[in-house]
């Protein structure tokens, strides 16, 4: 292999891998095709009966570390909608004439993640810097969270909580008390002090008590109200607690469901003890939630593959219209097929009908099941070869003969489609994607090789062609390969470099090693008298060829 070939291949491979690595590691594009888990469509249906001009407020989800909200839509039934920020959460305000009955629908999609799963707590004593805004808002006693009440202080003395310089120890002690020494009763008290006095409470009461105890222990804490989303089920209203520790909010379940890792099925709606719905001049309200788990559409997945870098974003194929994307997805798989055919022909040594015919056949087979597709292909070729043998007696010219074969191949494909329709099997319709013109040339070549070199040689090449097509079939069928080649088209440069290496290789192929295995054997000597001499050649000449090849 010449140095020029080596360096040409190295440059192509290096440039392609460098661009690929930068997009994966630097721009953080997805390496494998993903349809993110935790995507939900949620709908809030709100009915209100009012008595006059007023306003209706409802808690709305906001973007934060564990959830992303998008595609928000609302039908206001004649009311005006404004969205206001309330701390880390949001409030939707529908205002206007509430007289009569109004039905409001607010829907959105949310992607829920489980970021910082099982976040570890520090064990070494430390005193984190708590922002003043966090201390002022989430550490002061309130009516709902009476952290300064005498029963609360007495309980902290009774529990002998760790000192203030061990916040993680304080947190674990208080969570263990709430989980193990306060019973969970669905209809139990919702008040923090009542829950503490009776040692039982509802999930809401236990949540309020935990926030109260944490604040009394000088740990900022807040109550979170949200939905537990479950497929094919009405979402359940749940509450949990978040405590500020180690520079961030640490989620904790008061009933022992989780500690440090908020599950992916929880959607936060409101931060604080307030109601999810409140109104002015609203005599009655009814709030219902529904949720549906869904998958992102092609265009939404495409948007996730467009990098933030301006240059690479302008070169992204995901910016093209969807019809163009579908065509390029197939087109960019062809270099992989070309690499496969080069390996089989130059390294393995399989002779096939045509150079790229196996690739086209493998590409056509991706539209159907492999076995059924091969059977359909064999039927079409068999009928074509029989027709070609019939045409030999007519002694037609080349172009009319090929055109006749083309018509026969088309009729075979049409017949397969009709058979599939009759049996209700749509896989038979995949025959329409067969490369008709190529199949016609395949029939012609099969017939010519059979006439000139015999049926055995024609059948061998046909088997080799199918073998290469079957070997390339997984590449064309793989969604991972399609994603890689379309999302990272620079990988074509890597394929080009590998093709340069293959093209520069001039050694033995695997089939050559099988054919000449006796010559390479050192266990026995092959007498030259046993060799067959070509007609018109001398033994001395043949001896020279054998010795020359051995040297």
């Amino acid at each position: 292999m010449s140095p020029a070939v080596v360096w040409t291949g190295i440059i192509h491979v290096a440039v392609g891998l460098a661009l690929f690595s930068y997009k994966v590691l630097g721009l953080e594009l997805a390496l494998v095709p993903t349809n993110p888990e935790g995507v939900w469509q949620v709908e809030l249906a709100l009915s209100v009966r009012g008595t006059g001009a007023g306003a209706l407020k409802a808690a709305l989800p906001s973007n934060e570390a564990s959830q992303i909200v998008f595609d928000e839509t609302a039908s206001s039934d004649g009311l005006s909608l404004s969205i206001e920020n309330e701390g880390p959460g949001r409030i939707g305000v529908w205002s206007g004439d509430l007289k009569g009955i109004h039905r409001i629908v607010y829907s959105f999609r949310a992607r829920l993640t489980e970021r910082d799963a099982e976040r570890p707590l520090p064990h070494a004593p430390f005193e984190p810097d708590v922002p003043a805004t966090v201390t002022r808002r989430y550490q002061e006693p309130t009516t709902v969270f009476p952290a300064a009440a005498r029963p609360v202080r007495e309980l902290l003395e009774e529990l002998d909580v760790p000192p203030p310089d061990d916040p993680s120890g304080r947190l674990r002690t208080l969570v263990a008390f709430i989980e193990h020494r306060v019973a969970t009763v669905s209809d139990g008290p919702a008040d923090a002090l009542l829950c503490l006095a009776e040692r039982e409470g509802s999930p809401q009461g236990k949540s309020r008590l935990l926030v109260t105890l944490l604040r009394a222990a000088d740990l900022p804490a807040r109550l979170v109200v949200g939905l537990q989303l479950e497929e094919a089920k009405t979402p359940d209203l749940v509450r949990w607690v978040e405590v500020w520790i180690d520079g961030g909010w640490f989620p904790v379940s008061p009933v022992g469901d989780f500690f440090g890792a908020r599950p992916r099925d929880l959607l936060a709606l409101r931060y604080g003890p307030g109601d999810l719905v409140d109104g002015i001049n609203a005599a009655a309200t009814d709030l219902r939630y529904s949720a549906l788990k869904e998958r992102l559409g092609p265009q939404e997945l495409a948007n996730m593959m467009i990098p933030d870098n301006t240059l690479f974003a302008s070169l992204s194929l995901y910016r093209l219209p969807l019809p163009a994307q579908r065509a390029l997805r197939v087109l960019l798989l062809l270099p992989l097929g070309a690499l496969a055919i080069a390996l089989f022909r130059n390294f393995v040594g399989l002779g096939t009908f045509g150079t790229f015919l196996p690739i086209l056949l493998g590409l056509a087979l991706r539209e159907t099941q492999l076995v059924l597709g091969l059977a359909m292909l064999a039927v079409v070729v068999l009928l074509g070869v029989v027709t070609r043998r019939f045409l030999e007696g007519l002694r037609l010219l080349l172009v009319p003969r090929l055109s006749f074969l083309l018509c026969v191949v088309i009729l075979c494909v049409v017949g397969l489609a009709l058979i599939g329709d009759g049996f209700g099997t749509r896989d038979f319709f995949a025959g329409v994607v067969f490369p008709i013109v190529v199949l016609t040339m395949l029939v012609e070549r099969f017939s010519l090789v059979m006439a000139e070199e015999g049926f055995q040689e024609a059948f061998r090449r046909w088997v080799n062609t199918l073998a290469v097509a079957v070997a390339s079939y997984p590449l064309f069928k793989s969604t991972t390969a399609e994603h890689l080649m379309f999302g990272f088209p620079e990988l074509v440069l890597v394929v080009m470099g590998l093709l340069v290496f293959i093209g520069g290789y001039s050694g033995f192929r695997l089939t050559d090693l099988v054919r000449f295995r006796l010559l390479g054997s050192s266990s026995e000597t092959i007498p030259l008298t046993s060799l067959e001499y070509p007609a018109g050649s001398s033994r001395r000449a043949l001896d020279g060829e054998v010795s020359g090849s051995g040297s």
Side-chain angles (χ1 to χ4, degrees):
M1 193 177 296
S2 67
V5 170
V6 174
W7 281 110
T8 301
I10 290 177
I11 290 174
H12 280 80
V13 173
V15 172
L17 289 180
L19 292 174
F20 172 75
S21 301
Y22 175 72
K23 292 172 72 173
V24 172
L25 301 178
L27 302 180
E28 297 183 349
L29 298 186
L31 186 60
V32 294
T34 56
N35 200 317
E37 293 292 332
V39 179
W40 294 84
Q41 181 174 354
V42 185
E43 182 178 277
L44 177 156
L46 181 61
S47 300
V48 56
R49 179 173 61 85
T51 58
L56 189 67
K57 298 181 179 180
L60 303 182
S62 59
N63 292 326
E64 42 109 331
S66 298
Q67 64 187 38
I68 299 175
V69 180
F70 56 99
D71 285 353
E72 298 177 271
T73 60
S75 61
S76 302
D77 195 12
L79 304 176
S80 61
L81 170 63
S82 62
I83 298 179
E84 303 173 358
N85 293 325
E86 187 181 79
R90 297 186 305 161
I91 296 293
V93 181
W94 286 267
S95 57
D97 186 5
L98 296 182
K99 185 178 298 184
I101 297 178
H102 294 267
R103 293 180 176 87
I104 298 170
V105 176
Y106 168 78
S107 62
F108 60 92
R109 287 198 288 174
R111 180 184 176 191
L112 307 182
T113 61
E114 196 175 22
R115 189 169 299 180
D116 296 333
E118 299 300 334
R119 174 182 163 194
L121 283 173
H123 294 283
F126 73 105
E127 186 173 355
D129 295 329
V130 181
T133 54
V134 174
T135 303
R136 184 170 55 252
R137 185 179 179 89
Y138 299 110
Q139 193 168 331
E140 298 296 330
T142 65
T143 304
V144 180
F145 308 118
R150 177 180 297 179
V152 174
R153 296 197 307 268
E154 292 176 350
L155 176 65
L156 293 182
E157 295 176 359
E158 176 186 341
L159 294 177
D160 191 20
V161 297
D165 61 353
D166 185 11
S168 62
R170 289 193 162 199
L171 173 61
R172 294 181 187 276
T173 300
L174 296 178
V175 170
F177 169 78
I178 294 293
E179 182 178 350
H180 300 295
R181 296 176 60 180
V182 178
T184 303
V185 181
S186 58
D187 57 350
D191 179 75
L193 294 181
L194 286 177
C195 186
L196 176 60
E198 299 182 12
R199 291 296 196 271
E200 67 176 21
S202 65
Q204 181 180 5
K206 294 184 65 173
S207 301
R208 290 180 174 181
L209 178 57
L210 179 57
V211 172
T212 301
L213 295 177
L214 290 170
R215 292 188 179 187
D218 296 327
L219 294 176
R222 65 189 184 189
L223 178 66
V224 185
V225 184
L227 299 176
Q228 184 171 26
L229 306 179
E230 187 174 348
E231 196 166 9
K233 184 179 178 182
T234 302
D236 293 327
L237 198 64
V238 294
R239 292 171 175 83
W240 64 93
V241 175
E242 291 184 349
V243 54
W244 182 273
I245 192 169
D246 194 22
W249 290 107
F250 191 88
V252 177
S253 170
V255 294
D257 289 340
F258 57 89
F259 184 85
R262 194 175 101 186
R264 184 174 287 180
D265 59 353
L266 293 187
L267 173 71
L269 292 177
R270 185 180 182 88
Y271 296 86
D275 296 328
L276 292 179
V277 176
D278 189 16
I280 301 175
N281 286 336
T285 59
D286 179 62
L287 175 63
R288 297 183 183 182
Y289 289 96
S290 60
L292 177 66
K293 194 172 184 178
E294 64 173 28
R295 298 176 65 86
L296 296 180
Q299 188 58 51
E300 293 162 325
L301 286 174
N303 293 334
M304 297 177 60
M305 285 296 297
I306 297 178
D308 295 331
N309 184 283
T310 305
L311 175 61
F312 283 90
S314 63
L315 299 176
S316 176
L317 298 180
Y318 285 93
R319 303 180 67 93
L320 298 176
L322 289 180
Q325 290 188 32
R326 284 192 290 268
L328 288 177
R329 286 178 182 274
V330 177
L331 185 63
L332 286 170
L333 287 175
L334 292 179
L336 294 179
L339 179 62
I341 192 69
L343 288 172
F344 276 101
R345 296 197 63 163
N346 289 73
F347 279 165
V348 181
L350 294 182
T352 60
F353 287 118
T355 303
F356 297 112
L357 174 61
I359 302 177
L360 297 177
L361 294 180
L363 192 62
L365 291 174
R366 76 192 292 260
E367 301 297 332
T368 183
Q369 299 178 14
L370 180 60
V371 176
L372 181 59
L374 290 176
M376 295 167 58
L377 194 61
V379 169
V380 173
V381 173
L382 177 61
L383 292 178
V385 170
V386 171
T387 303
R388 174 63 174 80
R389 297 290 291 178
F390 168 75
L391 293 178
E392 287 183 0
L394 301 179
R395 299 185 179 274
L396 299 179
L397 297 178
L398 176 62
V399 175
R401 184 175 70 241
L402 289 178
S403 300
F404 190 93
L405 286 176
L406 177 67
C407 296
V408 172
V409 171
I410 292 176
L411 289 176
C412 290
V413 173
V414 172
L416 289 174
L418 292 175
I419 293 174
D421 182 66
F423 286 95
T425 305
R426 298 190 59 85
D427 288 333
F428 280 90
F429 291 98
V432 299
V433 301
F434 285 165
I436 302 298
V437 176
V438 175
L439 285 182
T440 304
M441 298 303 299
L442 172 62
V443 172
E444 179 71 11
R445 291 289 302 275
F446 189 97
S447 301
L448 290 177
V449 172
M450 186 170 59
E452 296 175 359
E453 303 182 41
F455 175 78
Q456 183 176 357
E457 175 62 21
F459 183 76
R460 184 183 66 82
R461 291 194 189 180
W462 166 247
V463 171
N464 291 344
T465 301
L466 289 184
V468 177
V470 171
S472 60
Y473 172 81
L475 293 176
F476 295 133
K477 198 73 172 178
S478 172
T479 56
T480 301
E482 181 180 308
H483 170 81
L484 288 175
M485 298 305 295
F486 185 79
F488 307 92
E490 60 273 5
L491 291 178
V492 176
L493 294 176
V494 178
V495 174
M496 294 169 62
L498 296 177
L499 288 173
V500 170
F501 289 135
I502 295 174
Y505 174 76
S506 58
F508 285 108
R509 296 172 293 184
L510 294 180
T511 53
D512 294 334
L513 297 178
V514 174
R515 291 166 55 196
F516 303 136
R517 62 184 180 277
L518 292 180
L519 293 178
S521 175
S522 58
S523 60
E524 59 177 315
T525 303
I526 304 175
L528 293 180
T529 54
S530 65
L531 297 176
E532 295 183 2
Y533 291 87
S537 62
S538 64
R539 176 173 180 173
R540 177 176 299 177
L542 183 58
D543 291 346
E545 291 179 7
V546 173
S547 61
S549 63
S551 62

